[in-house]
Amino acid sequence: MKIITKQIGTGVHIVEAVVVLCGKDINICCGGGDTFHIGASALAVPRPSLADATKNSASASVLCVTSHKEDEIAREAALRFATIFKTRVNITCGLHIDNATADDINLLHKNYLQILDEIQLELAGVLHGN
């Protein structure tokens, strides 16, 4: 197995990720804010697009802890990576800031999206031998 770690941001706006390559499958654990936890988990499986079988797509199943809101961001990331890398992808995500303002939430989400971009770039190099 290969392990990749990433970190973006500081203080309560930090987002950290651990990526584990399990054979050709990808497992990503993302935590951020002031309380790292498991809020949701999404497992995506690649498949041909239903609209155009020559294009890649994916299907996902999501588990979300009651009262948590990470289900959509976990699902979007799992679908993204499964489609791009044509492999099974599991992502677990937990982002939380106590008494967060709208600006706190926006910055934490921005950092989450940035860390996904960095993970994608590194995986492209690792999986495609660059």
Side-chain angles (χ1 to χ4, degrees):
M1 282 195 260
K2 179 169 177 56
I3 298 172
I4 300 166
T5 59
K6 295 284 180 189
Q7 179 179 321
I8 301 283
T10 59
V12 296
H13 304 111
I14 193 166
V15 177
E16 295 183 37
V18 176
V19 181
V20 180
L21 300 177
C22 302
K24 63 180 205 164
D25 296 330
I26 302 167
N27 189 40
I28 302 169
C29 180
C30 262
D34 59 20
T35 308
F36 287 35
H37 63 286
I38 296 173
S41 183
L43 175 64
V45 179
R47 60 169 172 75
S49 169
L50 298 175
D52 180 353
T54 65
K55 294 184 179 178
N56 299 322
S57 190
S59 294
S61 296
V62 180
L63 294 172
C64 190
V65 176
T66 304
S67 78
H68 285 69
K69 298 179 181 179
E70 292 91 350
D71 51 331
E72 287 301 317
I73 62 173
R75 181 178 184 275
E76 289 171 10
L79 289 171
R80 169 183 170 177
F81 288 117
T83 299
I84 291 168
F85 296 112
K86 302 177 199 161
T87 192
R88 290 179 294 242
V89 175
N90 183 73
I91 182 159
T92 303
C93 187
L95 306 172
H96 179 83
I97 299 174
D98 283 335
N99 304 309
T101 65
D103 287 341
D104 286 329
I105 293 167
N106 288 335
L107 183 52
L108 190 63
H109 187 251
K110 178 183 169 197
N111 287 343
Y112 172 75
L113 294 175
Q114 185 178 343
I115 210 166
L116 293 179
D117 289 344
E118 289 194 13
I119 290 168
Q120 181 178 331
L121 284 173
E122 184 148 351
L123 286 175
V126 170
L127 298 175
H128 298 128
N130 298 329

